[in-house]
Amino acid sequence: MRIYGASKIWHSNLWRGVRSQGFDITGRWIDIEGDSESPAIYQGREITRSDIWDYCLEDVTAADAVIIYCGADDEEQRGVIMEAGHAIGQGKPVYCINTCKTFSPCAVSDVAFTHHRLWNWVGNGLSFYDGFIKAYWMASTDKGNGISRAWHYG
C-alpha cells in the first residue's frame, strides 16, 4: 500500500523514519532540503515552490491513501488541506492522526470537509508512530468508512 504522508515540514524526519522501515511512503517533499526562507533543494538541485506543489500533487495521485499527522494542537496545516482535498477529489481516503487548529471547529468554520465520508479520524493524543500504525492498518484493511469520526464529533 502506497501512502502519501502529509504534515508540517518539520515532521519530515518522522516520515523518512517509517519509510526506512519499509513502508511505501510517497511524498518527495520529505526529502527536500531548505525552508520557507532558503532555496529548496531536491536531489542536489534547486527547485521552485511551484515544483514542490507539482511533486506533492503527483505523489498524492500515486498513493492509495493520505495519512495526515498533526503534531501539536496549535499547528496550522494549510498545505495539507490542499493535499487532502486532492486525495478526496480522486476518491482516496484520508486518515488524520490527532487534531490541530486547522481541523478544529471555530467561530468562522465548522471544518465541514472533515465530515466527508472519505475523511477518517485516527485518534487524538497519539504519538506519530502509534498513530501511523493505526492509520496504516485502517487504510490497509479498508476501515476508512467514516465510523472513526465519533471520538472527535460524537
Side-chain angles (χ1 to χ4, degrees), residues 108-129:
V108 297
S109 175
D110 66 352
V111 290
F113 61 91
T114 66
H115 297 274
H116 190 280
R117 65 180 174 77
L118 291 172
W119 182 278
N120 300 276
W121 292 106
V122 176
N124 208 11
L126 299 173
S127 69
F128 172 82
Y129 185 75

Side-chain angles (χ1 to χ4, degrees), residues 8-150:
K8 300 303 288 183
I9 196 161
W10 51 80
H11 299 306
S12 62
N13 61 319
L14 300 171
W15 296 107
R16 287 191 305 270
V18 293
R19 184 180 62 193
S20 73
Q21 294 175 28
F23 290 96
D24 191 358
I25 305 297
T26 67
R28 287 169 273 186
W29 73 268
I30 68 176
D31 296 312
I32 294 172
E33 299 171 38
D35 56 34
S36 62
E37 298 183 15
S38 64
I41 307 296
Y42 179 69
Q43 295 184 339
R45 68 177 184 85
E46 189 170 331
I47 59 172
T48 67
R49 300 296 185 242
S50 179
D51 293 332
I52 295 170
W53 275 110
D54 288 342
Y55 293 166
C56 291
L57 298 181
E58 289 168 7
D59 296 343
V60 168
T61 298
D64 298 307
V66 170
I67 296 177
I68 297 169
Y69 175 65
C70 298
D73 289 343
D74 62 349
E75 280 183 351
E76 293 191 32
Q77 301 279 352
R78 296 164 195 228
V80 169
I81 292 174
M82 184 171 171
E83 294 157 331
H86 192 63
I88 288 171
Q90 296 178 57
K92 297 177 183 191
V94 173
Y95 301 87
C96 189
I97 303 165
N98 304 327
T99 192
C100 64
K101 187 175 181 179
T102 304
F103 305 127
S104 298
C106 65
V108 297
S109 175
D110 66 352
V111 290
F113 61 91
T114 66
H115 297 274
H116 190 280
R117 65 180 174 77
L118 291 172
W119 182 278
N120 300 276
W121 292 106
V122 176
N124 208 11
L126 299 173
S127 69
F128 172 82
Y129 185 75
D130 289 345
F132 176 81
I133 294 302
K134 185 174 179 183
Y136 188 87
W137 177 84
M138 291 169 69
S140 64
T141 59
D142 199 27
K143 300 297 181 192
N145 55 18
I147 293 172
S148 57
R149 281 190 247 281

